[in-house]
């Protein structure tokens, strides 16, 4: 009897010991597997998708060149991993491309130049640079006036998306007429026609991709290429933006007389002063002086309840 009890005890002890050993072996193996890096072939590459062919405004980009491919890829990497900036641009695109695209078409400027507005201002109509360039097309005051925009204490049409877009088109068409290339026209928008002409004469080159330019202008066109690629193929760069900012329909109110108080004007049209300025950032004061034979159009949102 005692012998049987002893054998049973020893059996139970052996089983418990085996179970303990099995547990520790399993636990150690599991911990090792969790800490171990996955096989290389299962890891996601941090590099970016790169197109095999590409064009800007109908002009082929020579991707077979090492310098061109690397400069393009650099801007793709920068804007792919500059997440908050690129997401915001993607969200803004429908709202402002809706305004810009028809004007580009009407003015005979390639549709790709909407991406120039993207790299200039991130599609922010209130953007102001450290140098004083303003609006969605980042125009300097003197340049804006030369292009026919009104820039005064009361009115600054650099902040008027439609009028500023037409002004930018005027510049780009003039640059294209001068250089015979939309790519060079884009570069001149950043560096100026005179600077680009001097560099082309000095370096004896007529192709943008053969020119050695300062870093800002040198990167400018490549940034435009990168934003075009990312915005047209966002899923290739892991951008999945569900809620895009919608188009905001407006009614245009014709103004031919002075407005003493824009806050009163806003209230009369069923909106706040804040909403009035949202849709008309070109109004720079709390009142509006209207010169003789002058006419303005103030935008009032159709869906007023969306801003209350």
């Amino acid at each position: 009897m005692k012998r049987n009890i002893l054998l049973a005890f020893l059996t139970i002890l052996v089983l418990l010991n085996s179970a303990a050993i099995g547990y520790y072996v399993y636990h150690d193996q599991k911990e090792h597997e969790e800490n171990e890096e996955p096989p290389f072939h299962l890891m996601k590459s941090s590099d970016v998708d790169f197109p095999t062919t590409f064009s800007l405004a109908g002009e082929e980009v020579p991707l077979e060149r090492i310098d061109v491919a690397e400069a393009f890829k650099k801007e793709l990497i920068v804007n792919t991993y500059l997440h908050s900036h690129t997401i915001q641009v993607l969200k803004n695109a429908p709202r402002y491309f809706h305004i810009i695209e028809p004007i580009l078409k009407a003015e005979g400027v390639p549709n790709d130049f909407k991406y120039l507005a993207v790299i200039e201002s991130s599609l922010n109509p209130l953007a102001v640079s450290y140098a004083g360039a303003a609006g969605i097309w980042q125009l300097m005051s003197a340049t804006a006036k030369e292009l026919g925009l009104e820039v005064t204490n009361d009115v600054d049409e650099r902040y008027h998306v439609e009028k500023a877009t037409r002004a930018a088109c005027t510049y780009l068409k003039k640059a294209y007429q001068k250089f015979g290339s939309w790519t060079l026209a884009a570069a001149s928008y950043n560096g100026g026609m005179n600077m680009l002409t001097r560099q082309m004469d000095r370096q004896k080159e007529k192709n943008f991709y053969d020119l050695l330019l300062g870093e800002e202008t040198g990167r400018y066109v490549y940034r435009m290429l990168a934003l075009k690629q990312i915005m047209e193929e966002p899923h290739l760069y892991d951008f999945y933006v569900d809620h895009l900012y919608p188009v905001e329909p407006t009614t245009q109110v014709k103004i031919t007389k002075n407005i003493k108080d824009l806050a009163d004007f806003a209230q009369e049209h069923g909106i706040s002063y804040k909403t009035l300025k949202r849709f008309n950032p070109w109004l720079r004061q709390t009142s509006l002086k209207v010169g003789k034979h002058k006419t303005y159009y103030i935008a009032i949102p159709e869906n007023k309840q969306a801003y209350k």
Side-chain angles (χ1 to χ4, degrees):
M1 183 68 177
K2 291 182 178 180
R3 184 178 179 183
N4 289 339
I5 293 174
L6 180 61
L7 287 173
F9 176 78
L10 290 174
T11 300
I12 292 171
L13 189 63
V14 169
L15 290 173
L16 289 173
N17 188 54
S18 298
I21 292 172
Y23 171 80
Y24 284 113
V25 169
Y26 172 80
H27 182 73
D28 182 69
Q29 183 178 1
K30 190 70 175 176
E31 186 176 40
H32 177 72
E33 289 176 354
E34 290 176 352
N35 292 332
E36 187 177 36
E37 292 186 356
F40 180 77
H41 69 279
L42 296 179
M43 296 177 67
K44 183 178 179 180
S45 172
S46 295
D47 207 346
V48 294
D49 188 89
F50 193 69
T52 54
T53 61
F54 208 73
S55 66
L56 180 69
E59 298 174 5
E60 288 300 312
V61 180
L63 297 182
E64 70 279 1
R65 290 178 49 161
I66 292 176
D67 56 340
V68 172
E70 289 183 357
F72 186 4
K73 181 167 282 191
K74 175 182 178 179
E75 301 305 324
L76 278 174
I77 293 170
V78 168
N79 288 280
T80 295
Y81 292 102
L82 197 63
H83 286 81
S84 60
H85 165 269
T86 305
I87 290 171
Q88 192 64 40
V89 165
L90 288 167
K91 291 175 79 66
N92 275 328
R95 177 172 293 167
Y96 294 107
F97 283 177
H98 172 77
I99 299 170
I100 293 171
E101 288 175 339
I103 296 174
L104 293 176
K105 183 177 181 179
E107 293 287 341
V109 174
N111 190 57
D112 279 352
F113 276 90
K114 63 190 179 186
Y115 300 111
L116 190 147
V118 172
I119 66 172
E120 281 288 346
S121 64
S122 299
L123 297 179
N124 175 11
L126 296 175
V128 180
S129 75
Y130 68 90
I136 205 165
W137 291 93
Q138 289 291 277
L139 294 165
M140 296 296 290
S141 177
T143 303
K145 291 175 182 179
E146 289 174 5
L147 294 171
L149 295 181
E150 182 178 351
V151 181
T152 66
N153 289 331
D154 288 349
V155 170
D156 191 338
E157 291 181 333
R158 293 180 295 171
Y159 297 100
H160 194 298
V161 177
E162 293 93 334
K163 291 184 178 182
T165 300
R166 292 191 184 93
C169 287
T170 298
Y171 178 93
L172 291 167
K173 288 190 290 185
K174 184 177 179 180
Y176 178 72
Q177 186 176 21
K178 180 177 179 63
F179 297 115
S181 160
W182 287 115
T183 307
L184 286 170
S188 77
Y189 194 90
N190 176 261
M193 290 189 225
N194 290 337
M195 181 281 291
L196 200 59
T197 299
R198 285 196 305 272
Q199 291 301 327
M200 291 171 71
D201 291 343
R202 183 176 300 162
Q203 298 177 37
K204 299 177 176 60
E205 299 290 354
K206 296 182 179 179
N207 187 324
F208 167 79
Y209 299 103
D210 292 323
L211 287 169
L212 176 63
L213 301 170
E215 182 177 4
E216 183 179 348
T217 305
R219 291 180 61 182
Y220 192 79
V221 169
Y222 292 106
R223 289 177 60 209
M224 198 171 165
L225 299 179
L227 267 300
K228 175 185 175 181
Q229 171 66 0
I230 292 170
M231 294 181 75
E232 292 185 355
E233 304 285 354
H235 60 284
L236 296 180
Y237 304 90
D238 290 333
F239 288 108
Y240 301 92
V241 182
D242 294 327
H243 178 67
L244 304 177
Y245 295 145
V247 174
E248 300 174 298
T250 61
T251 299
Q252 301 293 318
V253 178
K254 185 176 181 179
I255 306 297
T256 56
K257 297 180 180 180
N258 292 347
I259 299 177
K260 184 177 180 180
D261 191 321
L262 286 171
D264 288 338
F265 177 86
Q267 294 292 324
E268 290 167 7
H269 287 82
I271 59 174
S272 67
Y273 177 76
K274 176 184 177 182
T275 300
L276 178 72
K277 286 301 187 80
R278 172 188 175 90
F279 285 88
N280 303 276
W282 54 274
L283 294 170
R284 306 310 292 171
Q285 300 296 331
T286 59
S287 60
L288 176 63
K289 296 176 182 178
V290 183
K292 191 175 182 180
H293 305 304
K294 188 76 176 179
T295 300
Y296 295 105
Y297 289 89
I298 293 180
I300 304 296
E302 291 182 3
N303 184 9
K304 299 176 184 178
Q305 292 303 315
Y307 305 95
K308 291 183 177 180

